[in-house]
Amino acid sequence: MRTIIYTNGKNPDFINLCQQLDNNLNEVFGVEKQEVYNQYNLLHDIHDVWIVYESGIPVGCAAFKQYEDNIVEIKRVFVKPEHRGKGISKVLMESLEKEAAKKGYKTLILETGKRLETAINLYQNRGYTVIENYGQYRGLTESVCMQKNLSEDKKVYV
């Protein structure tokens, strides 16, 4: 049975999933390259978190945090490798997009890695477009930044 909860960045299951995400990224990109990004993935300022459970076991997470007045940054999207391909990431993204719209945000932005083709495809399929690297990701050649304007989304979330 699949359930999804809305929580915050202090949730122990979220923290554990983020550690697994970091381990996964270290394998893909290497520990040295990931050290640059670690400073941008702290959990202390993340207050909006979703966790998907399969039969009571946490298998995926996603979060957002405020970036500017009308903009949120999507953070820490992760599904355990053995649970990928089951639509979990889509459920997570839809949940956070709905909440962002409900809270009055107009734009979602995110950063992912060039080698994470599955993630890039997920975001593009949800209407995100590649933009110039923003903020702390300017000049980082492994990064791909994307955005979605909720007002242009065909779904009505509010």
Side-chain angles (χ1 to χ4, degrees):
M1 184 173 107
R2 180 181 292 172
T3 56
I4 185 167
I5 67 162
Y6 175 60
T7 184
N8 61 48
K10 294 179 182 177
N11 182 292
D13 289 335
F14 176 64
I15 293 167
N16 183 273
L17 286 165
C18 287
Q19 289 169 343
Q20 292 178 57
L21 169 59
D22 290 336
N23 292 339
N24 184 260
L25 293 172
N26 287 339
E27 287 177 21
V28 173
F29 295 103
V31 174
E32 287 181 21
K33 282 195 177 184
Q34 269 313 111
E35 284 179 2
V36 172
Y37 291 89
N38 290 342
Q39 63 188 319
Y40 309 130
N41 292 320
L42 303 175
L43 304 182
H44 68 275
D45 57 351
I46 293 180
H47 307 291
D48 297 276
V49 172
W50 291 263
I51 302 172
V52 171
Y53 293 83
E54 293 277 350
S55 301
I57 298 168
V59 299
C61 63
F64 69 65
K65 67 178 186 175
Q66 185 169 355
Y67 185 77
E68 290 180 2
D69 284 345
N70 292 318
I71 302 172
V72 291
E73 183 180 23
I74 296 171
K75 303 296 288 180
R76 313 313 302 186
V77 178
F78 176 69
V79 176
K80 289 182 178 182
E82 64 271 22
H83 292 275
R84 293 178 185 162
K86 299 178 181 178
I88 294 169
S89 59
K90 291 176 186 140
V91 169
L92 288 163
M93 293 300 295
E94 185 171 295
S95 297
L96 69 82
E97 289 169 6
K98 282 181 182 178
E99 186 66 21
K102 194 161 80 171
K103 288 188 172 194
Y105 293 105
K106 305 294 182 214
T107 304
L108 301 128
I109 59 174
L110 62 86
E111 181 275 340
T112 190
K114 283 185 179 177
R115 294 186 208 168
L116 303 175
E117 293 175 18
T118 303
I120 293 170
N121 289 335
L122 165 72
Y123 302 133
Q124 287 177 329
N125 289 337
R126 294 208 54 82
Y128 291 78
T129 56
V130 175
I131 59 172
E132 189 174 313
N133 287 6
Y134 60 86
Q136 64 267 26
Y137 304 110
R138 283 189 185 102
L140 297 178
T141 58
E142 291 289 324
S143 290
V144 174
C145 292
M146 305 179 87
Q147 86 172 26
K148 178 178 183 175
N149 294 318
L150 290 175
S151 59
E152 296 172 8
D153 194 354
K154 292 179 181 134
K155 295 180 181 175
V156 178
Y157 288 116
V158 189

